[in-house]
RNA sequence: GGGAGAUUAGCUCAGUUGGUUCAGAGCAUCUGUCUUACAAACAGAGGGUCACUGGUUCGAGCCCAGUAUCUCCCACCA
């Protein structure tokens, strides 16, 4: 069979993924093995795969596949999130493109459009993840609006309400006038924004020519002013406290009040108080019992309550009002002013603080166990620097605004008695009716008299149950799955949602199941371009992962993404990383080509083969331990790098070259079997990172048809490491490298055979490796000697010397080189001697450190002696 | 304004209780080579005052203080 010279991933990848699915190798059901569980952070149901998903899911797949090969019952639960605000925004836009306005539709009509959209696009991203090789248990695919899932969301709401943790109240919320919904504090992004500070004259009520000048950044809100405030100790304004003052343009009379919230040094020291549109003003209003005048419609235009400018947009009004004030001679000046303005994360429009009736969850008590879990290390964050951030947030946690003025999502299970403020919270309409009848004492009450709250729950109020509800942990408590898989093990997600999601899942875990939801949280970085800019559609700097997979193979993409992405660090994406990944896959492929081309002979195993195999097995054991250590610490990139170097350098560059038969020769059968077995162990270590090519090669090495999947094969525990074997081989490798360097430097081609003389105290080792060295270095002879032969170049490897006879030795060059080495060693010896003659060092440093220094001194001295001798012999 | 973290080779990063020649890795660069698995490769080489200034110590990328620069998070200064 002809094997392609270059690895062609396309067909091989789709073949194996289909085969794996058919054999249900990713399926997990509870059994006697320990469980290892990851629940995938559910992407937006209508989302498509981007580079961030690739990074995130590759890491999860690496963890899952590795544990699967370590004897765990590995279960990776995939799924999607209904993502209420994001999805609704997409649907609204889709409808708008068809000329349909959301508000012209009934709720049910809109929802049927939304579900149609979801059916069409939902799950695309999960299909795409299959291309990446994600080894999820697809039978467990969940969606946050599945019937069962929704039940648990509503149950939780009802339960928390019954316990008095959910309350309803008028609160200042972050209003997004474009999406026409309240957004959570976490969805508001504060940006430094250049604005202006307008100084406006307000006239005192009973003194026509007396004015106070107020400084504000938002002049349009004066329509809703309820007072003007000064600091109680501000000497400039004492006389005015308690008097009335006119709001300009609309001439409404409001009081002048004193409140120590004010900063006397800011602006003019006079503040216009607008309780409906500023959180601070709202609080001042509470203290002074001020009227709340909400002048805005939900879309950010002025409502009739504003009296003037009705129907105009808030920013248009600002311009107009400034103009009108100026014309009225009431505008003193306009200063430039930079301040933080909140923007909606979703729509990027400035947030309007707005008083609104919302549902809240009291967080203070709920969050305590979740804080404790991370502080005590029961839940670990990787990298740990996020623990501080987490703690800071949890110690200052605010009540969670649960309601969203949207249609797509879990509708709040609260029913109002029509025409009244009274309400009941219940799982179903029937239940609500029962409760309402009980509450009113009117047994003849009918469903028509109830009206369900129109709002839906914040998306996070469903996804915080994710690790529980994908196993039906609330609707079917104590079922086999939840008992077996929960708590899950690792969570892989982005630091941006540490608070929105991770913290809340921890809260939910302790609150509803009394157990943490997972033990480790691995926080990935953000994928950026090589200029550190975030990947974004508008910048056009984000490649399509599927294109990359088509071009480089999923294995190449996976390796490329992981090559340089330590936990918590941003990944600076460059296509060259993916190329490197592809090249690596090709390297593995060619090792396979080489080995599979061998026809083993029945001669006994040769010395070189034995040495090579013995060394490689020890290296393999050593690196396997290294890799285990990396994985334990979640250093995925380091683990990959260890595997990469083991495969490329040790296995391909050294071991395969060591055992490669001479032209026309054959590898011994005994060696061949061992080499294949080593190759297989190496493939196993590579498999979590490159599932496809490793399966293909694994099966290819078996030669006789398909065998047990590599995916299901078990990693064997590493044997002991024989240091002496590693050291000896290292010495030979160093010797080979120095002679190669000498060839390269002198321009002596590999084609030209050379003779070698060795001066060494360890001729046994060199003798054993003589045949191997002969092949690596194209030697015509290798002999031991006590003295440097006439007319030869010298190379030093540690305390050993290699001489190469040469017709025209560059004596001058040799001398310079030796002199350089002497100078360096003298300096080194000097520092060692200095250290050792320092009484305080000798008396204070630990004995082994001192002994080490003494050994260094002795070694350096003997090497120096040797060098000086050489120098003398060469003469002048 | 508050908090956290960072600064080591051209780039991205390691450097694990201060102690081997400790200054590393990968990539990139440069020089050779189409050597019978692989030019998507092979063999070699160069490259850093560990941000700066002090301090502690026999000894400091590593610990302490200060300075500079950068990043992120939180936050209601009109």
């Amino acid at each position: 069979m002809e094997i392609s010279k270059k690895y062609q991933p396309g067909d091989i990848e789709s073949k194996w993924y289909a085969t794996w699915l058919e054999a249900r190798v990713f399926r997990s059901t509870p059994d006697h093995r320990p469980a290892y569980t990851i629940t995938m952070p559910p992407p937006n149901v209508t989302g498509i795969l981007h580079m961030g998903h690739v990074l995130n899911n590759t890491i999860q797949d690496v963890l899952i596949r590795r544990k699967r090969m370590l004897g765990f019952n590995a279960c990776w639960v995939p799924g999607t999130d209904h993502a209420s605000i994001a999805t609704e925004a997409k649907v609204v836009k889709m409808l708008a493109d068809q000329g349909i306005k959301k508000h012209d539709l009934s709720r049910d009509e809109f929802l049927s459009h939304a579900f149609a959209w979801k059916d069409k696009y939902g799950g695309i991203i999960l299909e795409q993840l299959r291309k990446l090789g994600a080894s999820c248990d697809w039978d467990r695919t969940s969606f946050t609006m599945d019937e069962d899932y929704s039940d648990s969301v509503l149950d939780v709401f009802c339960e928390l309400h019954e316990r008095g943790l959910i309350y309803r109240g008028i609160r200042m919320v972050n209003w997004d006038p474009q999406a026409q919904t309240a957004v959570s504090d976490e969805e508001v992004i504060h940006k430094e924004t250049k604005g202006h500070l307008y100084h406006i004259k307000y006239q005192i009520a009973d003194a026509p020519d007396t004015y106070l000048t107020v400084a504000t950044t938002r002049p349009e809100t004066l329509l809703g002013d309820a007072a003007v405030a000064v600091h109680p100790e501000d000497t400039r304004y004492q006389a005015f406290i308690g008097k009335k003052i006119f709001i300009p343009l609309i001439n409404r009379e409001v009081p002048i009040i004193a409140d120590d919230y004010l900063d006397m040094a800011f602006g003019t020291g006079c503040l216009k108080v607008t309780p409906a549109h500023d959180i601070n003003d709202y609080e001042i209003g509470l203290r002074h019992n001020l009227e709340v005048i909400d002048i805005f419609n939900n879309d950010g235009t002025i409502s009739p309550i504003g009296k003037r400018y009705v129907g105009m947009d808030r920013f248009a009004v600002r311009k107009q009002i400034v103009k009108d004030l100026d014309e009225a001679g009431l505008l003193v000046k306009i200063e430039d002013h930079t301040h933080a303005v909140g923007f909606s994360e979703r729509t990027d429009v400035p947030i309007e603080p707005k008083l609104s009736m919302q549902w809240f969850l009291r967080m203070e008590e709920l969050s305590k166990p979740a804080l404790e879990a991370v502080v005590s290390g029961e839940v670990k964050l990787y990298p740990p620097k996020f623990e501080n951030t987490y703690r800071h947030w949890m110690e200052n946690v605010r009540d969670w605004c649960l309601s969203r003025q949207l249609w797509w999502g879990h509708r709040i299970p609260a029913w109002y008695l029509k025409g009244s403020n009274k309400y009941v919270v219940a799982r179903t309409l029937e239940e609500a009716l029962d409760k309402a009848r009980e509450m009113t004492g009117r047994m003849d009450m009918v469903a028509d008299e109830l009206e369900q709250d129109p709002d839906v729950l914040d998306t996070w109020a469903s996804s915080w149950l994710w690790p529980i509800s994908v196993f039906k942990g609330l609707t079917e408590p104590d079922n086999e799955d939840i008992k077996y898989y929960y708590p899950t093990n690792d969570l892989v997600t982005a630091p941006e949602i540490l608070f929105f999601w991770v913290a809340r899942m921890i809260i939910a875990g302790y609150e509803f199941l009394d157990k943490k939801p997972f033990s480790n949280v691995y926080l990935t970085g953000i994928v950026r371009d090589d200029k550190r800019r975030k990947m974004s559609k508008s910048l056009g700097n984000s490649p399509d992962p599927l294109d990359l997979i088509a071009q480089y193979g999923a294995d190449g993409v996976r390796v490329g993404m992981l090559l340089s992405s330590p936990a918590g660090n941003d990944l600076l994406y460059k296509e060259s990383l993916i190329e490197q990944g592809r090249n690596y896959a090709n390297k593995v492929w060619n090792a396979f080509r080489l080995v599979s081309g061998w026809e083993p002979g029945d001669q006994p195993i040769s010395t070189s083969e034995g040495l090579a195999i013995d060394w490689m097995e020890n290296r393999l054991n050593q690196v396997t331990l290294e890799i285990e250590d990396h994985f334990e610490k979640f250093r995925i990139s380091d683990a990959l790098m260890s595997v990469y170097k083991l495969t490329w350098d040790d296995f391909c560059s050294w071991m395969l070259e060591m055992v490669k038969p001479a032209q026309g020769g054959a590898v011994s059968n005994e060696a061949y079997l061992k080499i294949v077995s080593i190759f297989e162990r190496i493939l196993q270590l590579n498999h979590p990172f490159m599932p496809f090519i490793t399966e293909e090669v694994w099966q290819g090495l078996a030669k006789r048809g398909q065998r047990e999947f590599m995916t299901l094969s078990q990693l064997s525990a590493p044997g002991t490491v024989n240091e002496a074997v590693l050291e000896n081989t290292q010495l030979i490798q160093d010797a080979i490298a120095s002679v190669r360097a000498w060839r390269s430097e002198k321009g002596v081609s590999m084609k030209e055979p050379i003779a070698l003389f060795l001066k060494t105290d360890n001729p046994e080792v060199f003798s054993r490796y003589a045949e191997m060295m002969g092949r690596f270095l194209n030697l015509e002879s290798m002999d031991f000697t006590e003295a440097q032969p006439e007319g030869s170049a010298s190379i030093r490897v540690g305390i050993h010397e290699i001489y190469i006879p040469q017709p025209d030795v560059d004596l001058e060059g040799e001398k310079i080189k030796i002199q350089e080495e002497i100078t360096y060693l003298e300096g080194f010896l000097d520092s060692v001697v200095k250290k050792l003659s320092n009484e305080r060092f000798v008396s204070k440093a630990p004995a082994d450190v001192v002994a080490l220094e003494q050994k260094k001194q002795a070694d350096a001295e003997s090497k120096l002696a040797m060098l000086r001798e050489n120098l003398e012999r060469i003469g002048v």
Side-chain angles (χ1 to χ4, degrees), chain A residues 589-617:
Chain A
W589 184 250
N590 275 290
F592 170 59
R593 282 185 68 210
L594 175 67
V595 172
S596 65
W598 286 341
E599 292 293 339
D602 50 12
Q603 76 275 23
I605 189 167
S606 73
T607 310
S608 290
E609 286 172 344
L611 287 168
I613 287 165
D614 189 26
W615 167 74
M616 190 66 215
E617 283 173 347

mmCIF file of all heavy atoms in Angstrom, chain A residues 589-617:
data_model
loop_
_atom_site.group_PDB
_atom_site.id
_atom_site.type_symbol
_atom_site.label_atom_id
_atom_site.label_comp_id
_atom_site.label_asym_id
_atom_site.label_seq_id
_atom_site.Cartn_x
_atom_site.Cartn_y
_atom_site.Cartn_z
ATOM 1 N N TRP A 589 3.230 11.476 10.943
ATOM 2 C CA TRP A 589 2.850 10.696 9.774
ATOM 3 C C TRP A 589 4.064 10.041 9.121
ATOM 4 O O TRP A 589 4.062 8.872 8.746
ATOM 5 C CB TRP A 589 2.120 11.595 8.777
ATOM 6 C CG TRP A 589 1.612 10.881 7.582
ATOM 7 C CD1 TRP A 589 2.055 10.978 6.303
ATOM 8 C CD2 TRP A 589 0.542 9.926 7.554
ATOM 9 N NE1 TRP A 589 1.348 10.161 5.475
ATOM 10 C CE2 TRP A 589 0.406 9.501 6.216
ATOM 11 C CE3 TRP A 589 -0.306 9.401 8.527
ATOM 12 C CZ2 TRP A 589 -0.547 8.565 5.823
ATOM 13 C CZ3 TRP A 589 -1.247 8.476 8.149
ATOM 14 C CH2 TRP A 589 -1.367 8.065 6.813
ATOM 15 N N ASN A 590 5.130 10.811 9.007
ATOM 16 C CA ASN A 590 6.302 10.289 8.336
ATOM 17 C C ASN A 590 7.059 9.272 9.176
ATOM 18 O O ASN A 590 7.704 8.375 8.635
ATOM 19 C CB ASN A 590 7.206 11.433 7.885
ATOM 20 C CG ASN A 590 6.745 11.970 6.544
ATOM 21 O OD1 ASN A 590 6.870 11.298 5.537
ATOM 22 N ND2 ASN A 590 6.154 13.152 6.555
ATOM 23 N N ALA A 591 6.964 9.421 10.486
ATOM 24 C CA ALA A 591 7.532 8.381 11.351
ATOM 25 C C ALA A 591 6.798 7.075 11.074
ATOM 26 O O ALA A 591 7.402 6.001 10.995
ATOM 27 C CB ALA A 591 7.405 8.787 12.814
ATOM 28 N N PHE A 592 5.491 7.218 10.913
ATOM 29 C CA PHE A 592 4.677 6.043 10.588
ATOM 30 C C PHE A 592 5.084 5.446 9.243
ATOM 31 O O PHE A 592 5.231 4.226 9.096
ATOM 32 C CB PHE A 592 3.205 6.447 10.583
ATOM 33 C CG PHE A 592 2.277 5.394 10.030
ATOM 34 C CD1 PHE A 592 2.209 4.130 10.607
ATOM 35 C CD2 PHE A 592 1.465 5.680 8.944
ATOM 36 C CE1 PHE A 592 1.355 3.160 10.102
ATOM 37 C CE2 PHE A 592 0.613 4.718 8.436
ATOM 38 C CZ PHE A 592 0.551 3.460 9.013
ATOM 39 N N ARG A 593 5.298 6.313 8.268
ATOM 40 C CA ARG A 593 5.722 5.821 6.947
ATOM 41 C C ARG A 593 7.009 5.020 7.066
ATOM 42 O O ARG A 593 7.166 3.962 6.473
ATOM 43 C CB ARG A 593 5.990 7.001 6.002
ATOM 44 C CG ARG A 593 4.757 7.620 5.429
ATOM 45 C CD ARG A 593 5.147 8.679 4.417
ATOM 46 N NE ARG A 593 5.764 8.104 3.232
ATOM 47 C CZ ARG A 593 6.673 8.706 2.484
ATOM 48 N NH1 ARG A 593 7.110 9.899 2.793
ATOM 49 N NH2 ARG A 593 7.157 8.112 1.415
ATOM 50 N N LEU A 594 7.942 5.561 7.832
ATOM 51 C CA LEU A 594 9.235 4.897 7.969
ATOM 52 C C LEU A 594 9.059 3.523 8.606
ATOM 53 O O LEU A 594 9.484 2.503 8.059
ATOM 54 C CB LEU A 594 10.167 5.752 8.832
ATOM 55 C CG LEU A 594 11.525 5.127 9.167
ATOM 56 C CD1 LEU A 594 12.371 4.981 7.905
ATOM 57 C CD2 LEU A 594 12.273 5.954 10.195
ATOM 58 N N VAL A 595 8.420 3.523 9.767
ATOM 59 C CA VAL A 595 8.313 2.273 10.518
ATOM 60 C C VAL A 595 7.491 1.243 9.759
ATOM 61 O O VAL A 595 7.833 0.056 9.716
ATOM 62 C CB VAL A 595 7.705 2.542 11.915
ATOM 63 C CG1 VAL A 595 7.404 1.245 12.643
ATOM 64 C CG2 VAL A 595 8.644 3.412 12.736
ATOM 65 N N SER A 596 6.416 1.696 9.128
ATOM 66 C CA SER A 596 5.566 0.721 8.458
ATOM 67 C C SER A 596 6.222 0.172 7.187
ATOM 68 O O SER A 596 5.785 -0.831 6.660
ATOM 69 C CB SER A 596 4.197 1.340 8.143
ATOM 70 O OG SER A 596 4.370 2.385 7.214
ATOM 71 N N GLY A 597 7.302 0.833 6.749
ATOM 72 C CA GLY A 597 7.994 0.328 5.572
ATOM 73 C C GLY A 597 9.017 -0.754 5.893
ATOM 74 O O GLY A 597 9.582 -1.366 4.998
ATOM 75 N N TRP A 598 9.275 -0.943 7.176
ATOM 76 C CA TRP A 598 10.319 -1.908 7.542
ATOM 77 C C TRP A 598 9.843 -3.345 7.402
ATOM 78 O O TRP A 598 8.726 -3.691 7.804
ATOM 79 C CB TRP A 598 10.778 -1.665 8.975
ATOM 80 C CG TRP A 598 11.644 -0.452 9.111
ATOM 81 C CD1 TRP A 598 12.313 0.178 8.105
ATOM 82 C CD2 TRP A 598 11.912 0.275 10.304
ATOM 83 N NE1 TRP A 598 12.993 1.266 8.593
ATOM 84 C CE2 TRP A 598 12.767 1.346 9.949
ATOM 85 C CE3 TRP A 598 11.536 0.135 11.632
ATOM 86 C CZ2 TRP A 598 13.241 2.266 10.875
ATOM 87 C CZ3 TRP A 598 12.010 1.046 12.552
ATOM 88 C CH2 TRP A 598 12.861 2.112 12.186
ATOM 89 N N GLU A 599 10.755 -4.163 6.881
ATOM 90 C CA GLU A 599 10.505 -5.605 6.823
ATOM 91 C C GLU A 599 11.454 -6.239 7.824
ATOM 92 O O GLU A 599 12.633 -6.417 7.532
ATOM 93 C CB GLU A 599 10.792 -6.142 5.410
ATOM 94 C CG GLU A 599 9.819 -5.649 4.351
ATOM 95 C CD GLU A 599 8.408 -6.173 4.555
ATOM 96 O OE1 GLU A 599 8.248 -7.203 5.254
ATOM 97 O OE2 GLU A 599 7.467 -5.553 4.029
ATOM 98 N N PRO A 600 10.975 -6.589 9.013
ATOM 99 C CA PRO A 600 11.889 -7.102 10.030
ATOM 100 C C PRO A 600 12.549 -8.402 9.608
ATOM 101 O O PRO A 600 11.908 -9.254 8.971
ATOM 102 C CB PRO A 600 10.992 -7.331 11.251
ATOM 103 C CG PRO A 600 9.652 -6.810 10.903
ATOM 104 C CD PRO A 600 9.583 -6.549 9.445
ATOM 105 N N GLY A 601 13.828 -8.561 9.951
ATOM 106 C CA GLY A 601 14.544 -9.801 9.676
ATOM 107 C C GLY A 601 14.625 -10.653 10.930
ATOM 108 O O GLY A 601 14.389 -10.151 12.033
ATOM 109 N N ASP A 602 14.990 -11.907 10.785
ATOM 110 C CA ASP A 602 14.961 -12.767 11.967
ATOM 111 C C ASP A 602 16.315 -12.861 12.664
ATOM 112 O O ASP A 602 16.537 -13.726 13.500
ATOM 113 C CB ASP A 602 14.426 -14.156 11.613
ATOM 114 C CG ASP A 602 15.141 -14.729 10.401
ATOM 115 O OD1 ASP A 602 16.185 -14.127 10.020
ATOM 116 O OD2 ASP A 602 14.659 -15.724 9.855
ATOM 117 N N GLN A 603 17.260 -11.948 12.326
ATOM 118 C CA GLN A 603 18.538 -11.925 13.043
ATOM 119 C C GLN A 603 18.316 -11.443 14.482
ATOM 120 O O GLN A 603 17.290 -10.833 14.761
ATOM 121 C CB GLN A 603 19.540 -11.001 12.322
ATOM 122 C CG GLN A 603 19.312 -9.504 12.515
ATOM 123 C CD GLN A 603 18.301 -8.894 11.551
ATOM 124 O OE1 GLN A 603 17.451 -9.597 11.003
ATOM 125 N NE2 GLN A 603 18.371 -7.607 11.368
ATOM 126 N N PRO A 604 19.266 -11.761 15.384
ATOM 127 C CA PRO A 604 19.091 -11.297 16.767
ATOM 128 C C PRO A 604 19.197 -9.771 16.861
ATOM 129 O O PRO A 604 19.780 -9.134 15.983
ATOM 130 C CB PRO A 604 20.246 -11.978 17.512
ATOM 131 C CG PRO A 604 21.261 -12.298 16.463
ATOM 132 C CD PRO A 604 20.483 -12.555 15.194
ATOM 133 N N ILE A 605 18.640 -9.244 17.917
ATOM 134 C CA ILE A 605 18.662 -7.801 18.118
ATOM 135 C C ILE A 605 20.106 -7.314 18.218
ATOM 136 O O ILE A 605 20.950 -7.953 18.844
ATOM 137 C CB ILE A 605 17.846 -7.448 19.387
ATOM 138 C CG1 ILE A 605 17.666 -5.930 19.507
ATOM 139 C CG2 ILE A 605 18.483 -8.004 20.643
ATOM 140 C CD1 ILE A 605 16.619 -5.542 20.547
ATOM 141 N N SER A 606 20.416 -6.202 17.554
ATOM 142 C CA SER A 606 21.796 -5.715 17.546
ATOM 143 C C SER A 606 22.068 -4.865 18.786
ATOM 144 O O SER A 606 21.145 -4.425 19.472
ATOM 145 C CB SER A 606 22.035 -4.862 16.297
ATOM 146 O OG SER A 606 21.386 -3.615 16.444
ATOM 147 N N THR A 607 23.352 -4.633 19.063
ATOM 148 C CA THR A 607 23.739 -3.805 20.211
ATOM 149 C C THR A 607 23.110 -2.422 20.108
ATOM 150 O O THR A 607 22.523 -1.906 21.056
ATOM 151 C CB THR A 607 25.270 -3.653 20.265
ATOM 152 O OG1 THR A 607 25.845 -4.946 20.149
ATOM 153 C CG2 THR A 607 25.706 -2.997 21.548
ATOM 154 N N SER A 608 23.234 -1.814 18.933
ATOM 155 C CA SER A 608 22.707 -0.459 18.756
ATOM 156 C C SER A 608 21.201 -0.428 18.974
ATOM 157 O O SER A 608 20.670 0.470 19.629
ATOM 158 C CB SER A 608 23.021 0.045 17.357
ATOM 159 O OG SER A 608 24.397 0.282 17.231
ATOM 160 N N GLU A 609 20.530 -1.395 18.413
ATOM 161 C CA GLU A 609 19.073 -1.447 18.592
ATOM 162 C C GLU A 609 18.732 -1.561 20.073
ATOM 163 O O GLU A 609 17.860 -0.862 20.582
ATOM 164 C CB GLU A 609 18.501 -2.661 17.841
ATOM 165 C CG GLU A 609 18.469 -2.478 16.336
ATOM 166 C CD GLU A 609 18.082 -3.764 15.585
ATOM 167 O OE1 GLU A 609 18.141 -4.858 16.200
ATOM 168 O OE2 GLU A 609 17.725 -3.660 14.400
ATOM 169 N N GLY A 610 19.450 -2.437 20.759
ATOM 170 C CA GLY A 610 19.198 -2.635 22.182
ATOM 171 C C GLY A 610 19.418 -1.354 22.966
ATOM 172 O O GLY A 610 18.588 -0.971 23.801
ATOM 173 N N LEU A 611 20.525 -0.684 22.670
ATOM 174 C CA LEU A 611 20.830 0.556 23.381
ATOM 175 C C LEU A 611 19.762 1.618 23.112
ATOM 176 O O LEU A 611 19.318 2.333 24.014
ATOM 177 C CB LEU A 611 22.199 1.086 22.947
ATOM 178 C CG LEU A 611 23.406 0.322 23.469
ATOM 179 C CD1 LEU A 611 24.664 0.761 22.724
ATOM 180 C CD2 LEU A 611 23.578 0.541 24.971
ATOM 181 N N ALA A 612 19.379 1.730 21.851
ATOM 182 C CA ALA A 612 18.404 2.753 21.458
ATOM 183 C C ALA A 612 17.072 2.505 22.159
ATOM 184 O O ALA A 612 16.444 3.433 22.695
ATOM 185 C CB ALA A 612 18.212 2.744 19.954
ATOM 186 N N ILE A 613 16.648 1.264 22.157
ATOM 187 C CA ILE A 613 15.344 0.940 22.734
ATOM 188 C C ILE A 613 15.361 1.123 24.248
ATOM 189 O O ILE A 613 14.445 1.707 24.828
ATOM 190 C CB ILE A 613 14.958 -0.504 22.345
ATOM 191 C CG1 ILE A 613 14.574 -0.525 20.862
ATOM 192 C CG2 ILE A 613 13.791 -1.012 23.197
ATOM 193 C CD1 ILE A 613 14.526 -1.910 20.260
ATOM 194 N N ASP A 614 16.442 0.671 24.857
ATOM 195 C CA ASP A 614 16.571 0.824 26.297
ATOM 196 C C ASP A 614 16.516 2.304 26.677
ATOM 197 O O ASP A 614 15.803 2.722 27.587
ATOM 198 C CB ASP A 614 17.896 0.205 26.752
ATOM 199 C CG ASP A 614 17.974 0.133 28.266
ATOM 200 O OD1 ASP A 614 16.902 0.084 28.909
ATOM 201 O OD2 ASP A 614 19.103 0.124 28.806
ATOM 202 N N TRP A 615 17.277 3.095 25.931
ATOM 203 C CA TRP A 615 17.300 4.534 26.213
ATOM 204 C C TRP A 615 15.911 5.146 26.024
ATOM 205 O O TRP A 615 15.416 5.875 26.875
ATOM 206 C CB TRP A 615 18.299 5.238 25.297
ATOM 207 C CG TRP A 615 18.147 6.726 25.314
ATOM 208 C CD1 TRP A 615 18.523 7.568 26.315
ATOM 209 C CD2 TRP A 615 17.553 7.553 24.304
ATOM 210 N NE1 TRP A 615 18.202 8.870 25.999
ATOM 211 C CE2 TRP A 615 17.601 8.880 24.767
ATOM 212 C CE3 TRP A 615 16.992 7.289 23.052
ATOM 213 C CZ2 TRP A 615 17.107 9.954 24.025
ATOM 214 C CZ3 TRP A 615 16.506 8.358 22.310
ATOM 215 C CH2 TRP A 615 16.565 9.672 22.797
ATOM 216 N N MET A 616 15.279 4.815 24.886
ATOM 217 C CA MET A 616 13.987 5.433 24.574
ATOM 218 C C MET A 616 12.939 5.059 25.617
ATOM 219 O O MET A 616 12.105 5.894 25.988
ATOM 220 C CB MET A 616 13.522 4.996 23.182
ATOM 221 C CG MET A 616 12.321 5.770 22.666
ATOM 222 S SD MET A 616 12.693 7.529 22.379
ATOM 223 C CE MET A 616 11.142 8.268 22.852
ATOM 224 N N GLU A 617 12.984 3.819 26.092
ATOM 225 C CA GLU A 617 11.998 3.433 27.100
ATOM 226 C C GLU A 617 12.176 4.236 28.384
ATOM 227 O O GLU A 617 11.207 4.661 29.007
ATOM 228 C CB GLU A 617 12.088 1.925 27.371
ATOM 229 C CG GLU A 617 11.427 1.127 26.251
ATOM 230 C CD GLU A 617 11.626 -0.373 26.380
ATOM 231 O OE1 GLU A 617 12.476 -0.803 27.183
ATOM 232 O OE2 GLU A 617 10.917 -1.108 25.654
#
